[in-house]
Amino acid sequence: MDDLEKAILIMFDESGSIDHELKKRAENYCNEVKENKSSICRLCIEKLCFSNLVQVQFWCLQTLHDMIKSCYLSMAPEEIYMIRSSVFSIVYLEPVDDNNLRRVLEGPAFIKNKLAQVLATFIYFEYPLIWSSVFVDFLPHLSKGNLVIDMFCRVLNVLDDDLISMDYPRTAEELAVATRVKDAIRQQCVSQMVRAWYDILSMYRNNDEEICTSVLDSMRRYISWIDIGLIVNDAFIPLLFDLVLAGSLSDSLRGAAVRCLLAVVSKRMEVHSKLSLLQNLQISRLFRLVAEDGDTELVSDISALLTGYAVEALDCFKRINSEDAKGVSMELLNEVLPSVFYVMKNFELDATFNVIQFLSGYVATLKSFDPLREKQLFHVGQILEVILVLIRYEPSYRANLDVMDKIGKEEEDRMVEFRKDLFVLLRTVGRVAPDVAHLFIRNSIANAISSSSDSNVEEVEGALSLLFALGESLSNEAMRTGSGLLSELVLMLLSTKFPCHSNRLVALVYLETVTRYVKFIQDNTQYIPMVLTAFLDERGIHHPNINVSRRASYLFMRVVKLLKVKLVPFIETILQSLQDTVAQCTIMNSTTEVLSGSEDGSHVFEAIGLLIGMEDVLPEKQCDYLSSLLRPLCQQVETLLINAKLLTYEETNAKICIIQQIIMAINSLSKGFSERLVTKSRPAIGLMFKQTLDVLLQVLVVFPKVEPLRSKVISFIHRMVDTLGASVFPFLPKALEQLLAEIEPREMIGFLVLLNQLICKFSTSVCDIVEEIFPAVADRIFSVIPRHGLPSVPGAVTEEIRELQELQRTLYTFLHVITTHDLSSVFLTPKSKAYLDPVMQLLLYSSCNHKDILVRKACVQIFTRLIKDWCAQPYEEKVPGFRTFMIEAFGINCCLYSVLDRSFELRDANTFVLFGEIVLAQKVMYEKFGNEFLVHFVSKGFSAPHCPPDLAEQYSQRLQGGDIKALKSFYQSLVENLRLLQNGSLVFR
C-alpha cells in the first residue's frame, strides 16, 4: 500500500479513531497529488486497475469525474482517449492490461454509480459529435450478463438525472446539450435500446428480478421523450401487463412495471391519439389488484397509475370537442373511478394530494352537466365518502388530542393543514350537487349518533366537521332559508347530545358548527331555546374541559351579537344559567392555566353586556341586572385592596391576578352599553359605571408599579371614554396623574395612546387637561429619547431600543394629533415652553432623516399646521423665532436638501405623497412669510446645488402662482435636474 492509498484510507475513515490533524494532513496530501494535472488521470486509471480498496476506487473515480468536468476542454486528445477507453472497458468488462475488473462492477452501489457518472460526463461532452458510437458499442456487451446490464441502466439513469430530466432546473447550455443527446439517440439507436430492454425483461424475468426492475426503472425515465410506438405495441404492452399481473413475482418488479405503464399513460401527445391509447390499454385488467391484500407499496403504485389514467381521461374530456369522443372519455372515467375511490378509502397513500387535486378537477367538470347523471351522482357520493374517511383522526391519538399534549397539538396542526384541500373539494361538491352533499352529511351524522363502536369519537368529529365546512359553500340566502335538507341538518345538530360529547375535539367542532349556522336561527326563532341550551349546558360553557368552556364563551358572545334583540325574552334564563360561570371567572388564582387572549373567560361578560345593554330591556330591569353584576365585582376589588401592602409576595400575586380578571370582566361587560344610552336615555346606568371607574382607579394608588394592572386600568379608561363620553372628564385628572406618577418608558406608549383617544374624541374640550399633562409627558420622553433619533443599524437594535423606537413613533402620532385638533397652544404654555425647542429639533431631524416615510410625512404636516396656527396673519410672529426657524432650518434642510438626496425615491408611492406634503409646506410658507421665505430659499438654498438662474426664476414664478399641481410637477423636474447637475458629488443633510 503506497502513501496515496494510505492517505485516502485515513481521509475516509469514520471510526473516530484517527486524529483530526492527521486526517487534515491526509486530505492535504491527496489534494497535492490532484494538483499534478499531467499525471493524475493516468494514476487514477492505474489505481482502478490494481487496487481492491473501495475507498481508493471511489477517490479515483471522483477525481476523474472532477477533472473531466472542469478541464475537458484543456486536456490533450490522447489523454482523453486513454481515460475514455479505460473507463468504457471497465464498464463493459473488457480487461485493461490483462487485469480482471469484475471486482469494480461487483463492488458497492456507490462505486458503480460514480463509474456511471464518469461515463455520462463523456457523453455530455462528446456524444454524438466526437464519440458517436457509445450506445451502439455498449449494446452488444449486454449479452455478458447482469453486471454489464446493471451498468448500462446506471449510465442511463445518471444521464437522466444529470442532464435530461426536466424535474431539475437546467441552464440554457444543459438544455441545448440534452436536446442534442436526445435527438442523436432517437435517430441512431433508440429502437435497439428498446429491443434490448424487451429481450432482457423476457430473458431474466424468472431468474433475476432485480436486474429486470433496474431495466424498467431506466425505461420509465425515457418513455416520455422516445417514440411511444416503440413501447405501445403488441409486444411490449402485453409484457408489462404480464409482469404486473404475475402474482409470483416480487412487488418491487411489479411496481416498476406499473410505473412504466404510468409513464406511457402520462406521455404528452395529441388528444385523439391519447384517447385511443387509453382505450386500447384495457386498464380494467388491473382493477382486481387493488382489492387484493397486497403490499401497500404496490397498491400505491397501482393507485398512482389509475389516478394518472383518470387524470388523462379527464384532460381528454376537457380538450376534445366531439360529443362522441367526450362520451368515450367519460366512459373511461366511469370505468376507473370506483377503483380510485376504493384505494383512497382503504389505503394510506403518498400521492393523496394528487388524487384530491384530480377529484377537484373532476367535480368542477360536472358543473357542465345539468342535471347530473345517475353514475355521476353515485361518484359524487363516493367522493364524499373518501373525504369523510380521510378527515378522520386516528383513534390512537384520541387521548393525546383530548388533553392536548405535545403529540396531540402536532397531530391537530397536521390534520388542520391536511384537511384544507379536502374541505375545498367538499365545498365544490356542495355547490355542484347540494342535495347529495346534504343527504350524505345527514346520514353520516345519523350513523355517528347510532354507532357505539370505539371509533365513535372520530366518526362524530368527522361528520360534524363536514357539516361545518359545508357552510362555507352556502350563500347567505341558502343559509337563512335552510334550503334543501339544511333545516333538517340544523335541527338534528341542535337536538343531539352525542355520547362522546365530553371529548374536546367533538365538543369544539359541535360549537363551531352551531355558531356557523346561527344565520338560519335568525329567521327561525323557534330554535333559539335549543341554541341557548347547547351553549349553556355541559356541551358548551359548562363543559368539563376548560378549553372547551372558554371557547364556548367566545362563540356564545358571537351568537349573542347576531341574535341580539331576539334574545331579550331569554335574558333571565341566560343570566341564571351563567351565575356560576360569572362567579368562577373572578375567583381565578395565580395557578390558573393561562389561555389564549381570545378565550380568557371575559367573553361571558361581553355576551351578558350585549344582552342587558340593549334599549329593548326595561330600564329598571337593566339597572337591576347591571347592579347585580357590578356591585359584587367592585366590592371584591375593594376587599382585595384592603391591607394589600402588608401581604406576602405570593398573596399579593394572587390578589393581582384576581383584580386583573375582574377589570377584564367589567371592561367586557361595558362593551354592550352605548354612549347615548348611558349619558342621555338612562343616566342611572352611567352613574354605575362612574362609580365602578372610581373604585378601579384605586388600584393605581395601591399597586402603582404593577404593569399588568396599569395596562388593564388604562384599557378600562379607554372603554369609559367611549361609553361615558364627556361625563368621564371629572375622573381624568386624577387618573392621568396617577398613571404618570410611576410610569416606565415602555408604559408611556399606552399612556400616549390614551391621550390620543381623548384628543380625537373631545378635541379642544380637553385642552386644559392636555396643557396640564404635556410638560410631564415631554419631560419623561425626552429623558430617554435623543432629539436626533435612535440607532437603526441592525446590530445596534436591542429590545430596549425597539421599545424606544415604538415610543418615538407614538410620540410623533401624539404631536400630530395635538396639532391637527387645534391644540397647538399646548406647546406655548409657560410650563411647556421649555420643551418647545426639543420638540422642534426632533421634528426637524425626523422630517429630513427618519427611515419611515410615513413618520416624515407626519412631521411635515405638523410643521405646516403650526405655520397656519402661529402665523395666522402674514408677517405675524406669535412664537418668537419660529418664522426664522421655519425659513432657515426647515425650508432649506427638509424642503430642499432632503429631497435632493438620492435616497429620496420619488418612484415610491409613499415617498411621492411625502413630496406632495413638502411642496404644500413651501406654498404655505410663501403665503405666510412672503418674499422673506422665497428670497432666502432661492438665494441660500439653490446656491449649494448650483441651480441655474433660469430654473430658480421659474420656481419663483410657480410658487407665486395659484396652481399647486403645476408647482409640484415643476419642483419634481427641478429636483431631478439638480441631481443630474451635482451628479452625486454633493450629499445633502
Side-chain angles (χ1 to χ4, degrees), residues 146 149 199-212 249 253:
N146 56 9
I149 296 170
D199 290 342
I200 294 166
L201 291 171
S202 301
M203 184 183 304
Y204 287 89
R205 58 183 290 185
N206 294 319
N207 52 43
D208 195 335
E209 293 186 8
E210 190 175 340
I211 204 68
C212 291
L249 298 177
L253 174 54

Side-chain angles (χ1 to χ4, degrees), residues 153-314:
C153 293
R154 289 179 191 275
V155 171
L156 293 180
N157 293 351
V158 168
L159 201 57
D160 182 64
D161 286 336
D162 291 358
L163 180 63
I164 296 173
S165 173
M166 290 294 105
D167 293 339
Y168 311 99
R170 304 293 187 197
T171 64
E173 180 188 347
E174 287 171 335
L175 289 171
V177 174
T179 301
R180 184 190 79 209
V181 169
K182 288 193 292 187
D183 286 346
I185 290 174
R186 287 191 194 103
Q187 293 169 15
Q188 185 190 45
C189 58
V190 69
S191 57
Q192 295 98 302
M193 283 172 58
V194 173
R195 181 70 203 181
W197 288 335
Y198 180 84
D199 290 342
I200 294 166
L201 291 171
S202 301
M203 184 183 304
Y204 287 89
R205 58 183 290 185
N206 294 319
N207 52 43
D208 195 335
E209 293 186 8
E210 190 175 340
I211 204 68
C212 291
T213 303
S214 297
V215 168
L216 289 169
D217 182 52
S218 298
M219 185 175 119
R220 169 188 60 78
R221 296 161 175 262
Y222 285 71
I223 287 173
S224 64
W225 56 269
I226 65 174
D227 178 7
I228 195 63
L230 294 169
I231 306 296
V232 180
N233 51 50
D234 293 340
F236 230 126
I237 292 297
L239 174 60
L240 290 175
F241 272 98
D242 283 349
L243 293 173
V244 175
L245 294 168
S248 59
L249 298 177
S250 68
D251 285 341
S252 59
L253 174 54
R254 296 167 73 192
V258 171
R259 293 191 289 275
C260 283
L261 287 171
L262 176 57
V264 169
V265 165
S266 305
K267 172 88 171 173
R268 292 175 62 182
M269 61 180 72
E270 188 271 330
V271 64
H272 289 91
S273 301
K274 173 58 70 72
L275 188 58
S276 175
L277 168 64
L278 297 178
Q279 274 184 290
N280 293 333
L281 270 183
Q282 298 175 19
I283 202 78
S284 58
R285 287 178 281 178
L286 304 183
F287 292 166
R288 66 175 176 80
L289 295 180
V290 297
E292 296 174 355
D293 291 331
D295 182 79
T296 306
E297 190 174 337
L298 178 62
V299 173
S300 183
D301 284 325
I302 294 172
S303 171
L305 170 58
L306 297 180
T307 305
Y309 181 93
V311 166
E312 297 299 329
L314 181 63

